[in-house]
mmCIF file of all heavy atoms in Angstrom:
data_model
loop_
_atom_site.group_PDB
_atom_site.id
_atom_site.type_symbol
_atom_site.label_atom_id
_atom_site.label_comp_id
_atom_site.label_asym_id
_atom_site.label_seq_id
_atom_site.Cartn_x
_atom_site.Cartn_y
_atom_site.Cartn_z
ATOM 1 N N LEU A 812 75.465 52.408 20.315
ATOM 2 C CA LEU A 812 76.754 53.066 20.098
ATOM 3 C C LEU A 812 76.920 53.303 18.596
ATOM 4 O O LEU A 812 77.404 54.401 18.321
ATOM 5 C CB LEU A 812 77.940 52.001 20.486
ATOM 6 C CG LEU A 812 77.970 51.738 21.911
ATOM 7 C CD1 LEU A 812 78.992 50.755 22.181
ATOM 8 C CD2 LEU A 812 78.291 52.898 22.647
ATOM 9 N N HIS A 813 76.446 52.504 17.685
ATOM 10 C CA HIS A 813 76.650 52.865 16.306
ATOM 11 C C HIS A 813 75.768 53.986 15.914
ATOM 12 O O HIS A 813 76.225 54.866 15.104
ATOM 13 C CB HIS A 813 76.133 51.586 15.430
ATOM 14 C CG HIS A 813 77.301 50.530 15.317
ATOM 15 N ND1 HIS A 813 78.426 50.694 14.481
ATOM 16 C CD2 HIS A 813 77.435 49.407 16.011
ATOM 17 C CE1 HIS A 813 79.058 49.746 14.703
ATOM 18 N NE2 HIS A 813 78.745 48.803 15.596
ATOM 19 N N HIS A 814 74.578 54.179 16.470
ATOM 20 C CA HIS A 814 73.736 55.242 16.154
ATOM 21 C C HIS A 814 74.279 56.565 16.736
ATOM 22 O O HIS A 814 74.024 57.683 16.295
ATOM 23 C CB HIS A 814 72.304 55.132 16.704
ATOM 24 C CG HIS A 814 71.535 54.147 15.695
ATOM 25 N ND1 HIS A 814 70.935 54.696 14.557
ATOM 26 C CD2 HIS A 814 71.165 52.834 15.921
ATOM 27 C CE1 HIS A 814 70.298 53.585 13.852
ATOM 28 N NE2 HIS A 814 70.399 52.608 14.740
ATOM 29 N N ALA A 815 74.999 56.450 17.831
ATOM 30 C CA ALA A 815 75.513 57.584 18.454
ATOM 31 C C ALA A 815 76.539 58.221 17.708
ATOM 32 O O ALA A 815 76.740 59.555 17.614
ATOM 33 C CB ALA A 815 76.217 57.193 19.772
ATOM 34 N N TYR A 816 77.415 57.539 16.866
ATOM 35 C CA TYR A 816 78.377 58.143 16.142
ATOM 36 C C TYR A 816 78.151 58.175 14.609
ATOM 37 O O TYR A 816 78.907 58.331 13.724
ATOM 38 C CB TYR A 816 79.833 57.597 16.362
ATOM 39 C CG TYR A 816 80.002 56.147 15.944
ATOM 40 C CD1 TYR A 816 80.295 55.827 14.678
ATOM 41 C CD2 TYR A 816 79.986 55.178 16.858
ATOM 42 C CE1 TYR A 816 80.573 54.537 14.309
ATOM 43 C CE2 TYR A 816 80.217 53.799 16.584
ATOM 44 C CZ TYR A 816 80.507 53.428 15.260
ATOM 45 O OH TYR A 816 80.684 52.235 15.044
ATOM 46 N N LEU A 817 76.864 57.741 14.288
ATOM 47 C CA LEU A 817 76.363 57.785 12.811
ATOM 48 C C LEU A 817 76.496 59.153 12.180
ATOM 49 O O LEU A 817 76.680 59.345 11.019
ATOM 50 C CB LEU A 817 74.973 57.206 12.701
ATOM 51 C CG LEU A 817 74.969 55.616 12.597
ATOM 52 C CD1 LEU A 817 73.495 55.256 12.446
ATOM 53 C CD2 LEU A 817 75.717 55.169 11.342
ATOM 54 N N PRO A 818 76.294 60.230 13.081
ATOM 55 C CA PRO A 818 76.391 61.623 12.318
ATOM 56 C C PRO A 818 77.652 61.824 11.681
ATOM 57 O O PRO A 818 77.870 62.722 10.903
ATOM 58 C CB PRO A 818 76.073 62.619 13.513
ATOM 59 C CG PRO A 818 75.435 61.861 14.550
ATOM 60 C CD PRO A 818 75.837 60.394 14.450
ATOM 61 N N SER A 819 78.752 61.166 12.265
ATOM 62 C CA SER A 819 80.118 61.376 11.562
ATOM 63 C C SER A 819 80.004 60.864 10.111
ATOM 64 O O SER A 819 80.949 61.377 9.293
ATOM 65 C CB SER A 819 81.154 60.722 12.301
ATOM 66 O OG SER A 819 80.957 59.336 12.303
ATOM 67 N N ILE A 820 79.151 60.081 9.764
ATOM 68 C CA ILE A 820 79.065 59.604 8.368
ATOM 69 C C ILE A 820 77.736 59.849 7.738
ATOM 70 O O ILE A 820 77.345 59.415 6.715
ATOM 71 C CB ILE A 820 79.255 58.001 8.352
ATOM 72 C CG1 ILE A 820 78.163 57.327 9.213
ATOM 73 C CG2 ILE A 820 80.643 57.613 8.895
ATOM 74 C CD1 ILE A 820 78.136 55.858 9.148
ATOM 75 N N GLY A 821 77.073 60.999 8.379
ATOM 76 C CA GLY A 821 75.779 61.386 7.781
ATOM 77 C C GLY A 821 74.613 60.667 8.225
ATOM 78 O O GLY A 821 73.568 60.916 7.521
ATOM 79 N N GLY A 822 74.678 59.816 9.186
ATOM 80 C CA GLY A 822 73.490 58.961 9.462
ATOM 81 C C GLY A 822 72.420 59.744 10.350
ATOM 82 O O GLY A 822 71.311 59.567 10.306
ATOM 83 N N VAL A 823 72.903 60.620 11.189
ATOM 84 C CA VAL A 823 72.051 61.438 12.134
ATOM 85 C C VAL A 823 72.288 62.904 11.866
ATOM 86 O O VAL A 823 73.427 63.337 12.007
ATOM 87 C CB VAL A 823 72.095 60.945 13.618
ATOM 88 C CG1 VAL A 823 71.279 61.781 14.399
ATOM 89 C CG2 VAL A 823 71.809 59.492 13.643
ATOM 90 N N ASP A 824 71.333 63.728 11.927
ATOM 91 C CA ASP A 824 71.489 65.145 11.864
ATOM 92 C C ASP A 824 71.202 65.663 13.295
ATOM 93 O O ASP A 824 69.967 65.646 13.740
ATOM 94 C CB ASP A 824 70.539 65.819 10.922
ATOM 95 C CG ASP A 824 70.810 67.327 10.838
ATOM 96 O OD1 ASP A 824 71.812 67.818 11.061
ATOM 97 O OD2 ASP A 824 69.668 68.020 10.587
ATOM 98 N N ALA A 825 72.130 66.094 14.014
ATOM 99 C CA ALA A 825 71.896 66.462 15.443
ATOM 100 C C ALA A 825 72.294 68.026 15.499
ATOM 101 O O ALA A 825 73.164 68.530 14.908
ATOM 102 C CB ALA A 825 72.735 65.689 16.397
ATOM 103 N N SER A 826 71.386 68.660 16.319
ATOM 104 C CA SER A 826 71.681 70.129 16.549
ATOM 105 C C SER A 826 71.346 70.383 18.061
ATOM 106 O O SER A 826 70.787 69.666 18.595
ATOM 107 C CB SER A 826 70.839 70.993 15.638
ATOM 108 O OG SER A 826 69.510 70.714 15.750
ATOM 109 N N CYS A 827 71.701 71.547 18.450
ATOM 110 C CA CYS A 827 71.483 71.949 19.925
ATOM 111 C C CYS A 827 70.725 73.330 19.877
ATOM 112 O O CYS A 827 70.997 74.175 19.133
ATOM 113 C CB CYS A 827 72.845 72.035 20.632
ATOM 114 S SG CYS A 827 72.666 72.423 22.277
ATOM 115 N N ALA A 828 69.758 73.310 20.770
ATOM 116 C CA ALA A 828 68.959 74.598 20.774
ATOM 117 C C ALA A 828 69.323 75.483 22.039
ATOM 118 O O ALA A 828 68.735 76.483 22.235
ATOM 119 C CB ALA A 828 67.428 74.105 20.892
ATOM 120 N N SER A 829 70.073 74.795 23.053
ATOM 121 C CA SER A 829 70.423 75.688 24.167
ATOM 122 C C SER A 829 71.716 75.240 24.600
ATOM 123 O O SER A 829 72.294 74.168 24.267
ATOM 124 C CB SER A 829 69.336 75.473 25.169
ATOM 125 O OG SER A 829 69.426 74.152 25.665
#
Side-chain angles (χ1 to χ4, degrees):
L812 294 175
H813 282 283
H814 282 284
Y816 63 84
L817 277 179
S819 64
I820 59 175
V823 176
D824 181 36
S826 61
C827 184
S829 63

